[in-house]
């Protein structure tokens, strides 16, 4: 029984991805994203919530990572979500978009004996989001919109320095109107880019 368990554990250990990137390595990437489902959530001071869809749009971003351990990169990044038209229920000719500046963590794993993918990785991002509020029409001036926290989580794959990612991200902002409203701008993005080893 013990030999069977040991054999099973060894088999699992051989199949589990091994850590890929050496400590003190540095890399940078650029990527273009397609935002599938932009959604603006409005929460009023009395707790009432509304959701407004926007048209799909594109994003452009760049990251820099320094590997503090063999399997762990810490970095900084920026991405810009181009403005897209809001649903007609929000208002005529209204648009929404954002620019985000963030810190990022990136654990990387190398797949053993995989012909299609060199590495997989996970992403966690936390930072500050700047809503493109001048494009949002409302009954009150949009200057009353305060920017706020940004966070994102996702996963990606790499082959020959080409990267493909799936990301979910959220922007928070506060709008000083009717006692105050909290806006959350939610996005699901597919990113394609290129990684440069430095």
């Amino acid at each position: 029984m013990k030999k069977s368990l040991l054999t099973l554990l060894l088999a699992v250990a051989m199949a589990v991805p091994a850590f890929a990137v050496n400590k003190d390595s540095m890399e940078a990437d650029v990527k273009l994203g397609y935002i599938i489902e932009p959604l603006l959530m409005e929460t009023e001071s009395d707790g009432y919530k509304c959701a407004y869809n926007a048209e799909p749009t594109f994003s452009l971003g760049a990251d820099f990572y320094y590997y503090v351990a063999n399997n762990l990169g810490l970095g900084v990044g920026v991405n810009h979500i181009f403005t897209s038209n809001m649903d007609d229920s929000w208002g005529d000719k209204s648009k929404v978009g954002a620019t985000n500046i963030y810190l990022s963590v990136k654990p990387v794993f190398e797949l053993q004996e995989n012909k299609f993918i060199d590495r997989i990785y996970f992403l966690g991002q936390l930072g500050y989001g700047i809503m493109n509020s001048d494009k949002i029409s409302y009954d009150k001036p949009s200057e009353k919109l305060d920017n706020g926290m940004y966070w994102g989580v996702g996963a990606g794959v790499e082959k020959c320095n080409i990267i493909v990612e799936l990301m979910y991200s959220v922007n928070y902002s506060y709008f000083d109107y009717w006692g105050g409203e909290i806006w959350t701008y939610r996005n699901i993005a597919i990113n394609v880019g290129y990684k440069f080893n430095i």
Side-chain angles (χ1 to χ4, degrees), residues 118-135:
D118 294 337
R119 296 177 179 91
I120 62 171
Y121 57 89
F122 299 95
L123 294 170
Q125 301 171 346
L126 182 65
Y128 184 72
I130 303 166
M131 294 286 288
N132 295 339
S133 58
D134 59 322
K135 300 294 184 184

Side-chain angles (χ1 to χ4, degrees), residues 28 58 65 72 78 105 121 127 134-135 143 149 155 171 184-185 193 198:
F58 293 94
Y65 289 99
L72 185 64
V78 61
V105 60
Y121 57 89
D134 59 322
K135 300 294 184 184
E143 296 84 51
M149 186 179 77
N171 285 80
T184 55
Y185 180 44
I198 301 173

Side-chain angles (χ1 to χ4, degrees), residues 19-28 64-75 106 108 119 158 195-198:
F19 297 133
V21 184
N22 293 329
K23 181 182 176 182
D24 296 327
S25 296
M26 291 184 288
E27 65 184 42
F64 170 82
Y65 289 99
Y66 173 78
Y67 284 83
V68 295
N70 286 349
N71 63 334
L72 185 64
L74 299 180
K106 181 182 179 181
V108 179
R119 296 177 179 91
E158 178 187 333
K195 184 191 80 173
F196 300 90
N197 295 313
I198 301 173

Side-chain angles (χ1 to χ4, degrees), residues 141-153:
S142 57
E143 296 84 51
K144 292 181 177 288
L145 178 67
D146 291 330
N147 298 305
M149 186 179 77
Y150 161 85
W151 66 266
V153 292

